[in-house]
Amino acid sequence: ERERKRERKRKKEMTSDPSSAVVNVQFKWGKELYSVDVDTSLPGLALKTQLFSLTNVPPDRIKIMGLKGGKTINDDTDLSQCGLEELAKKGKKLMVMGSAQAVEKAPTEEIKFVEDLPEEEQHGAQLGERFRPGLQNLGNTCYMNSCVQCLGHVGELIKCLENFDENAASTSSGGDASAMNVSGEGSMALTKAARDLFIELKTSKVVVTPLRFLMVLRQVFPQFADRDERSGVWSQQDAEECWSAIVNSLANACPKVKNIFGITLETELKCEATGESRSELDTVNYLKCNISIEVNHLADGFRLQLSETREIGNNVFEGQAKISKLPSHLVVQIARMYFKVDIQQKAKILRAVTFSNTLDVYEFCSDEYKKVLDKGRKLRAKAIEMNVDEVFGDSSDPDAYITGHYELVSVLTHKGRSADSGHYTAWAKNFIMDEKTKKPVDSWTLFDDETPHAKKEEDILALKGGGDHHMAYMLVYKAIYAKEPVVPESTKVVEGEGNGGEDVKME
């Protein structure tokens, strides 16, 4: 009661004191009545803002009625000239017109933070738009799922398929109408199914069922429809055979795919006995890393594979294969599987073969092609020395040069003792940047059929083999292209003036 008396006294003093700039005015809005202390030294917007805090009517919607002479109060109106003091003395009320804006509703669902989500959901939440779901296993189809996930992380391939023109492809392939063959309708059907599957993987946030793609794959390549004779269960297959079937079909229907994976090899052979020489030119979709007791790293396996000894007729030819053209994505097959005669099935070499996050294939290229690579390698070295960011282009950039350097994108692994048994999985790199540091985040995803798991680079490099756990079987590397580095204006060095002719670094 004492506080109310003091408040009434204070208001009375303000309204009775002609020197005071604050006036207590009564405002009526609908059924509500508000007593507002108005500072007449402020513009009209200040009053409207006060009323907004009481009525929730936005200032631009407020109209005040009841002023002498029908005056209106605008944002810049001088309140001291509106006669508010006289109205307050007479106890008159002013009308406020305007509709209140809708009050935002509280969220119907409880807000969840990434840290509070189950572990299996945290990875997807952190990746955001880059999240890719798993693929349903439809009966020993992990070999196919792993191939699809690895290929699905080749951005250039996805763009190629998204722009795939079925009519143009039919015309360029000669319009082969034979039933489901690899070079005609079969390739076309599998390419369309792959395109639709990749689009679904790109947009879906839940597990994808690749039933249509599997059915087309088995129709075009019946070997993938084999079943166990006794149990009737779908047979496990070799992921490398599935990979080759898919990529060859895509390349037949969409020739641009050949530039993504195609490796051109020049082989020079010579027979020491006769002096005869032979030259061969071939294009393959992956580089094979053979394994022997001397092979410990990818490069060792490449040297072994590219060294040729061949019996042609009654003569033995020896020589070396060299790369004469590199693709935008270099696929490596670690040749772990071989056919064991005594058990009549493919066995597996468990030997550890190390690989790294980057790959340099310069030494395996022909002398002529090395000259092509030298331009890009010099530009890259120059950019690194200058510490210039974002100087690397891609295959679509006419100003970018291929370097022979590659970066690991995905890994297909196998666990088990035979290619036709065990389990296949895919591991893919997430190319994301830290918003604060602007540096790449160490983030990988393991796709174990339906379930994605968060992984780090150290987990990937541990897939070298040497035991019964998952080991790398196929590797996908992305080419690094270099451009002429552009020095930012803030770091250019110019000739200084008034500094004895010395160079001055402009910041």
Side-chain angles (χ1 to χ4, degrees):
E1 182 64 28
R2 288 178 182 173
E3 288 297 324
R4 283 198 293 269
K5 287 181 178 179
R6 289 197 193 99
E7 181 66 18
R8 284 196 296 269
K9 184 178 180 182
R10 184 182 67 83
K11 291 179 179 179
K12 186 176 180 180
E13 288 174 350
M14 284 193 298
T15 56
S16 62
D17 184 2
S19 64
S20 175
V22 179
V23 181
N24 185 262
V25 183
Q26 301 290 317
F27 290 90
K28 193 172 189 307
W29 178 67
K31 296 181 180 180
E32 303 294 332
L33 184 64
Y34 301 100
S35 180
V36 181
D37 290 336
V38 181
D39 189 342
T40 58
S41 66
L42 298 176
L45 181 59
L47 173 57
K48 290 184 177 183
T49 304
Q50 282 181 283
L51 294 173
F52 169 59
S53 66
L54 297 169
T55 63
N56 208 34
V57 178
D60 59 338
R61 294 185 193 174
I62 290 178
K63 289 185 179 180
I64 300 173
M65 303 177 67
L67 292 173
K68 189 175 181 180
K71 290 183 179 180
T72 58
I73 296 179
N74 299 318
D75 291 351
D76 57 353
T77 298
D78 184 354
L79 295 179
S80 64
Q81 302 301 316
C82 293
L84 295 178
E85 295 87 347
E86 185 179 349
L87 289 172
K89 288 179 181 179
K90 294 180 179 180
K92 289 190 176 183
K93 302 179 184 65
L94 295 178
M95 297 291 294
V96 177
M97 306 295 290
S99 56
Q101 66 180 11
V103 179
E104 292 188 13
K105 296 181 179 179
T108 55
E109 296 183 3
E110 182 183 356
I111 298 175
K112 294 182 179 180
F113 297 93
V114 173
E115 297 80 3
D116 300 327
L117 292 172
E119 185 176 348
E120 62 272 14
E121 295 181 20
Q122 290 185 18
H123 183 53
Q126 290 169 343
L127 291 180
E129 292 183 358
R130 291 184 175 273
F131 171 76
R132 295 294 179 267
L135 287 166
Q136 184 76 36
N137 190 313
L138 300 173
N140 278 336
T141 56
C142 59
Y143 66 93
M144 181 195 75
N145 289 348
S146 300
C147 291
V148 169
Q149 291 287 13
C150 285
L151 289 169
H153 282 76
V154 178
E156 198 170 332
L157 175 65
I158 304 306
K159 289 181 182 177
C160 179
L161 293 179
E162 287 176 346
N163 299 323
F164 175 58
D165 187 342
E166 300 171 27
N167 297 324
S170 299
T171 304
S172 64
S173 62
D176 192 342
S178 57
M180 300 306 273
N181 59 82
V182 177
S183 60
E185 289 186 2
S187 293
M188 188 70 66
L190 192 62
T191 300
K192 289 190 287 186
R195 176 197 60 195
D196 296 343
L197 178 56
F198 287 137
I199 291 174
E200 188 174 2
L201 279 171
K202 192 175 179 180
T203 57
S204 178
K205 298 301 179 186
V206 295
V207 176
V208 172
T209 303
L211 181 59
R212 177 175 166 237
F213 182 81
L214 176 62
M215 292 175 65
V216 175
L217 178 69
R218 286 174 172 168
Q219 192 174 2
V220 179
F221 300 97
Q223 66 267 34
F224 298 117
D226 286 347
R227 294 176 181 264
D228 183 83
E229 294 181 358
R230 287 182 293 182
S231 65
V233 175
W234 296 107
S235 299
Q236 178 67 286
Q237 303 288 342
D238 187 343
E240 181 276 324
E241 293 179 4
C242 181
W243 181 286
S244 296
I246 295 172
V247 171
N248 287 335
S249 295
L250 298 180
N252 284 331
C254 186
K256 291 182 180 179
V257 174
K258 296 176 183 177
N259 296 326
I260 300 174
F261 298 114
I263 308 164
T264 303
L265 293 175
E266 292 179 356
T267 306
E268 297 292 336
L269 299 171
K270 185 176 182 179
C271 177
E272 292 295 335
T274 63
E276 181 185 355
S277 297
R278 297 170 65 98
S279 297
E280 297 178 356
L281 192 66
D282 191 21
T283 300
V284 295
N285 288 327
Y286 56 75
L287 199 59
K288 189 176 288 188
C289 169
N290 281 348
I291 301 178
S292 71
I293 195 169
E294 291 88 15
V295 172
N296 297 302
H297 186 72
L298 280 186
D300 302 327
F302 292 157
R303 296 186 192 100
L304 184 62
Q305 166 63 18
L306 296 174
S307 179
E308 293 269 359
T309 299
R310 239 186 269 172
E311 188 173 334
I312 304 175
N314 295 323
N315 299 318
V316 176
F317 286 77
E318 293 182 344
Q320 196 77 17
K322 294 284 186 180
I323 298 171
S324 60
K325 187 179 180 182
L326 286 167
S328 63
H329 288 75
L330 182 68
V331 180
V332 176
Q333 186 217 357
I334 301 179
R336 295 192 174 279
M337 312 301 179
Y338 68 100
F339 190 77
K340 201 170 183 180
V341 179
D342 57 342
I343 59 175
Q344 289 295 298
Q345 68 177 24
K346 289 180 181 177
K348 182 177 177 182
I349 301 172
L350 302 179
R351 182 178 179 82
V353 179
T354 61
F355 59 92
S356 61
N357 190 43
T358 56
L359 178 65
D360 185 359
V361 293
Y362 185 82
E363 70 165 282
F364 307 108
C365 297
S366 65
D367 292 339
E368 283 299 312
Y369 196 59
K370 284 180 179 178
K371 295 177 183 177
V372 176
L373 299 178
D374 285 342
K375 173 69 174 177
R377 295 171 79 87
K378 288 178 181 177
L379 289 175
R380 189 182 184 209
K382 180 180 178 182
I384 293 173
E385 183 180 353
M386 294 168 60
N387 195 27
V388 178
D389 294 331
E390 299 179 0
V391 298
F392 305 128
D394 56 36
S395 60
S396 64
D397 190 336
D399 297 324
Y401 296 86
I402 194 165
T403 62
H405 295 285
Y406 285 82
E407 182 180 9
L408 190 61
V409 172
S410 58
V411 182
L412 189 151
T413 63
H414 178 262
K415 181 180 181 181
R417 292 296 180 113
S418 169
D420 300 325
S421 63
H423 185 55
Y424 292 96
T425 58
W427 311 60
K429 186 173 185 177
N430 304 307
F431 287 89
I432 54 179
M433 302 290 288
D434 187 292
E435 294 183 359
K436 293 181 179 179
T437 64
K438 303 301 180 183
K439 293 183 178 180
V441 177
D442 181 8
S443 173
W444 287 73
T445 301
L446 160 62
F447 293 96
D448 189 352
D449 284 326
E450 300 89 350
T451 311
H453 302 277
K455 295 294 177 181
K456 299 288 186 182
E457 184 178 313
E458 61 180 1
D459 300 315
I460 309 304
L461 300 182
L463 301 171
K464 59 186 178 181
D468 285 329
H469 51 276
H470 276 285
M471 57 187 72
Y473 186 29
M474 302 193 76
L475 309 167
V476 182
Y477 284 90
K478 178 182 178 181
I480 296 175
Y481 293 79
K483 299 172 64 176
E484 184 68 46
V486 178
V487 181
E489 291 293 331
S490 61
T491 58
K492 282 186 177 179
V493 177
V494 298
E495 186 176 341
E497 293 184 5
N499 194 38
E502 295 181 0
D503 288 343
V504 180
K505 187 174 182 180
M506 304 298 293
E507 295 294 344

